[in-house]
Amino acid sequence: LSMPMPIARRCSELGLAGAAMPDIDSISGSVDFIGSMALKKIKPVIGCEFTLVDNYESKTKNCSSINLIAKNYMGWLDLVRVFSASHRHYYYEKPHITFEEIASLIRPGNVFAIGGWLGSDIGDTIFSNPKEIYLATTYEAAKATVNVDWFPKITAKIAKYIETFGKENFYL
């Protein structure tokens, strides 16, 4: 079901007016997605889940992510700029980008951001080592991976997202 035409067909069956299919570290599926949705008269919502790093000097596999969705044509152009910038930096054969660089490339009101899932920049802030939570098999093991100061860190990170994208353009 992750190919554009089956998604468009299923959305049509469900009577949906629109649907999103954000690529991961890519926007290459957007053209087929737009075409498939147009055939079914469904609004395509275009986005990308970008791999985030704290900086370009740290060589670590501990990356997180952010999902950016274009609100309009100018938002699409912003996604293209962020996508192009992310492909200037490769590590472990994956493009990546810093939050600060994203903030410098987007224009206010054209893109909205989604964060908060496990693996996202905000979600990973809860844990001292986010990858360990996947290995936890008990409540106690999961609790042992939680940062003791997670709440102020998440609060600060959410404030940064709201400052960058605007309160109306950030979803948790």
Side-chain angles (χ1 to χ4, degrees):
L1 187 65
S2 65
M3 299 301 292
M5 187 47 78
I7 290 173
R9 216 176 291 121
R10 183 67 177 139
C11 289
S12 180
E13 290 167 6
L14 295 171
L16 300 177
M21 189 177 90
D23 280 335
I24 298 174
D25 292 321
S26 177
I27 52 175
S28 62
S30 298
V31 173
D32 286 344
F33 182 65
I34 290 168
S36 296
M37 299 304 265
L39 290 173
K40 296 293 184 180
K41 297 181 177 32
I42 299 170
K43 178 182 172 64
V45 179
I46 306 301
C48 183
E49 183 178 330
F50 291 97
T51 298
L52 283 180
V53 292
D54 290 333
N55 60 64
Y56 296 120
E57 289 74 41
S58 297
K59 301 299 183 190
T60 177
K61 286 186 179 181
N62 289 332
C63 303
S64 59
S65 62
I66 182 174
N67 206 328
L68 301 180
I69 305 290
K71 291 177 69 175
N72 50 40
Y73 178 70
M74 297 306 286
W76 163 249
L77 295 179
D78 286 351
L79 285 181
V80 170
R81 270 201 306 281
V82 173
F83 171 76
S84 296
S86 73
H87 277 64
R88 286 188 219 124
H89 311 281
Y90 270 81
Y91 191 62
Y92 287 102
E93 299 180 17
K94 286 185 74 163
H96 57 274
I97 194 163
T98 63
F99 185 87
E100 291 71 26
E101 190 166 8
I102 289 173
S104 75
L105 294 169
I106 61 163
R107 290 165 287 201
N110 295 322
V111 173
F112 69 84
I114 303 170
W117 66 90
L118 192 56
S120 73
D121 186 34
I122 293 171
D124 283 356
T125 304
I126 296 171
F127 305 100
S128 52
N129 182 349
K131 305 301 182 214
E132 286 181 11
I133 191 64
Y134 294 106
L135 303 174
T137 57
T138 65
Y139 171 79
E140 290 75 24
K143 189 175 177 181
T145 67
V146 174
N147 268 327
V148 292
D149 59 346
W150 68 270
F151 189 76
K153 285 183 177 183
I154 285 181
T155 303
K157 202 161 274 200
I158 289 171
K160 182 171 78 168
Y161 274 63
I162 290 171
E163 179 182 332
T164 302
F165 297 101
K167 189 175 182 178
E168 67 285 353
N169 294 317
F170 172 63
Y171 296 87
L172 186 58

